[in-house]
């Protein structure tokens, strides 16, 4: 009798243990099921916040954040058109990334060596009609806002030579000029600068036109930040810029008093040993800082006081 009763108790114990394990597995956090909740309790609030977090991928704000994060990857080339030309040690690159098919197409500065990059088929065709070698690229994510468009375009100005190489396999341009498509570039001034090039320069940029004035020691990322807050796309990232600038200050790089450049015109010396280092560093700083690339260039330029020089000609065609 005692043995039968003991066996019965053992069976009950096993069943009870199994039931306990089943309950634990199906009610623990992260199991795929929701835990038992008392409405209105702290646990109830915690579960609601978890539900919101799980659904955050579908919110407009989260989509926006994912879209405009800068990437250092080459945009995928869909198709291209090449205009033939004679030999040259210089190439010009410009372009437009966005949604506006009526964007400006600048004059071709050098036939056969001028490249226009865009994500819009209509703009691609317009560039070809205007005499450009053109490249149509695919942009991951939708271009819903200025931040997304700006972030997607940064790779073009930081690494313009990569788009030339991807569609022509050319790697023999000593100089590559990036300029924004808003204006016609000063080709004569660019050529004159190259003809008198100082060998220690890997990159030349124009001094900031209105923040610096005639004495560029009174320039800085701090003034650039304040001026940028008037534009909504930059104001949205203001905290990000401040964090980046604070990190740079902690490394010993001041926010004021150093050379400050605009980045709508960049003249790269691809043969210089520091050129790729500057490009890669600027790319990583844009990832940290955000889309205000004149702030990040201010700090990159401090690392290269000799290799980065001032372009003194006008950037625009007369």
């Amino acid at each position: 009798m005692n043995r039968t009763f003991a066996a019965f108790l053992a069976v009950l114990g096993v069943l009870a243990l199994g039931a306990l394990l089943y309950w634990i597995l199906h009610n623990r956090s992260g199991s795929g099921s929701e835990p038992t909740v008392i409405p209105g309790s702290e646990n109830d609030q915690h579960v609601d916040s978890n539900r919101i977090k799980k659904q955050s991928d579908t919110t407009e704000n989260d989509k926006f954040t994912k879209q405009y994060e800068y990437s250092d990857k080459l945009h995928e080339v869909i198709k291209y058109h090449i205009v033939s030309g004679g030999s040259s040690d210089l190439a010009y690159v410009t372009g437009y990334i966005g949604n506006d098919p009526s964007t400006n197409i600048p004059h071709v500065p050098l036939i056969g060596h001028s490249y226009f990059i865009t994500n819009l088929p209509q703009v691609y065709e317009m560039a070809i009609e205007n005499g450009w070698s053109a490249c149509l690229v695919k942009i991951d994510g939708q271009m819903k806002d200025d931040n997304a468009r700006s972030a997607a375009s940064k790779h073009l100005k930081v690494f313009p030579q990569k788009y030339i190489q991807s569609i022509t396999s050319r790697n023999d341009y000593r100089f590559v000029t990036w300029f924004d498509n808003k204006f016609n570039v000063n080709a004569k001034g660019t050529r004159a600068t190259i003809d008198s090039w100082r060998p220690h320069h890997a990159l030349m940029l124009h001094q900031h036109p209105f923040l610096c004035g005639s004495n560029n020691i009174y320039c800085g990322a701090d003034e650039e930040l304040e001026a940028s807050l008037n534009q909504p796309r930059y104001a949205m990232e203001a905290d990000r810029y401040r964090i980046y600038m604070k990190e740079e200050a902690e490394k010993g790089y001041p926010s004021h008093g150093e050379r400050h450049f605009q980045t709508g015109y960049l003249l790269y010396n691809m043969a210089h040993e520091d050129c790729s280092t500057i490009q890669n560093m600027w790319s990583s700083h844009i990832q940290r800082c955000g889309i205000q690339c004149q702030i990040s260039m201010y700090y990159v330029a401090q690392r290269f006081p000799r290799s980065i020089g001032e372009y003194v000609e006008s950037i625009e065609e007369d």
Side-chain angles (χ1 to χ4, degrees):
M1 182 69 180
N2 288 339
R3 290 180 181 177
T4 303
F5 184 73
F8 176 74
L9 289 177
V11 170
L12 285 178
V14 171
L15 292 174
L17 181 60
L20 178 62
L21 289 172
Y22 179 87
W23 185 88
I24 291 173
L25 289 171
H26 284 76
N27 289 277
R28 66 181 182 177
S29 175
S31 65
S33 303
E34 299 288 67
T36 303
V37 175
I38 301 174
S41 67
E42 291 183 2
N43 193 28
D44 184 26
Q45 296 171 19
H46 174 70
V47 171
D48 285 344
S49 66
N50 279 343
R51 286 175 183 151
I52 293 171
K53 186 174 182 180
K54 289 177 182 178
Q55 296 171 0
S56 65
D57 285 346
T58 62
T59 65
E60 286 302 314
N61 186 58
D62 194 63
K63 286 180 182 178
F64 170 78
T65 301
K66 287 183 177 180
Q67 284 175 8
Y68 77 74
E69 283 300 317
Y70 167 80
S71 171
D72 62 356
K73 294 181 180 179
L74 182 77
H75 296 310
E76 179 184 347
V77 175
I78 299 174
K79 62 180 178 178
Y80 57 88
H81 170 84
I82 301 297
V83 176
S84 60
S87 63
S88 176
D89 63 346
L90 167 65
Y92 291 90
V93 182
T94 188
Y96 172 77
I97 302 296
N99 296 327
D100 182 9
S102 64
T103 190
N104 182 58
I105 307 294
H107 297 162
V108 173
L110 185 59
I111 296 174
H113 305 282
S114 301
Y115 302 86
F116 194 102
I117 306 161
T118 184
N119 65 311
L120 294 182
Q122 307 99 306
V123 175
Y124 171 80
E125 296 297 336
M126 287 169 55
I128 293 173
E129 291 173 5
N130 282 272
W132 287 86
S133 292
C135 176
L136 182 65
V137 297
K138 177 183 177 182
I139 304 296
D140 293 330
Q142 299 179 20
M143 299 288 99
K144 284 188 174 182
D145 46 67
D146 286 341
N147 294 71
R149 290 186 283 273
S150 182
S153 68
K154 296 303 175 187
H155 194 269
L156 279 60
K157 68 164 54 181
V158 180
F159 300 106
Q161 78 280 5
K162 291 189 176 183
Y163 292 90
I164 298 175
Q165 294 165 4
S166 70
I167 64 176
T168 68
S169 299
R170 289 194 61 159
N171 199 26
D172 58 345
Y173 287 119
R174 181 182 175 189
F175 298 97
V176 175
T177 300
W178 163 269
F179 68 99
D180 291 349
N181 74 309
K182 301 172 185 176
F183 59 89
N184 296 318
V185 71
N186 181 1
K188 290 182 179 179
T190 300
R191 185 73 254 176
T193 300
I194 290 172
D195 289 343
S196 60
W197 193 270
R198 295 183 177 181
H200 58 269
H201 284 150
L203 168 65
M204 297 191 77
L205 306 92
H206 199 277
Q207 178 179 283
H208 200 289
F210 63 86
L211 289 181
C212 297
S214 60
N215 191 342
N216 70 358
I217 66 169
Y218 298 109
C219 295
D222 53 352
E223 292 186 20
E224 183 74 59
L225 172 61
E226 291 305 312
S228 298
L229 296 182
N230 296 322
Q231 300 184 50
R233 61 176 175 155
Y234 294 140
M236 292 184 68
E237 290 193 334
D239 289 342
R240 183 173 180 173
Y241 302 148
R242 292 188 180 102
I243 291 171
Y244 165 77
M245 292 166 63
K246 181 176 181 293
E247 291 173 350
E248 289 298 293
E250 291 171 350
K251 295 176 182 177
Y253 298 100
S255 64
H256 192 85
E258 301 293 328
R259 299 176 305 163
H260 186 41
F261 302 103
Q262 63 171 326
T263 58
Y265 174 96
L266 302 114
L267 179 51
Y268 294 101
N269 176 5
M270 305 308 306
H272 196 287
E273 60 182 0
D274 285 344
C275 189
S276 63
T277 303
I278 291 170
Q279 289 180 312
N280 289 322
M281 181 181 291
W282 191 22
S283 179
S284 67
H285 276 244
I286 291 173
Q287 287 179 308
R288 290 172 51 213
C289 176
I291 62 172
Q292 222 313 1
C293 58
Q294 292 181 164
I295 290 179
S296 52
M297 175 50 74
Y298 173 80
Y299 290 100
V300 172
Q302 292 185 50
R303 270 94 165 169
F304 298 90
R306 182 170 170 82
S307 298
I308 295 180
E310 181 185 349
Y311 176 84
V312 297
E313 301 282 347
S314 170
I315 65 174
E316 295 191 43
E317 184 180 69
D318 294 335

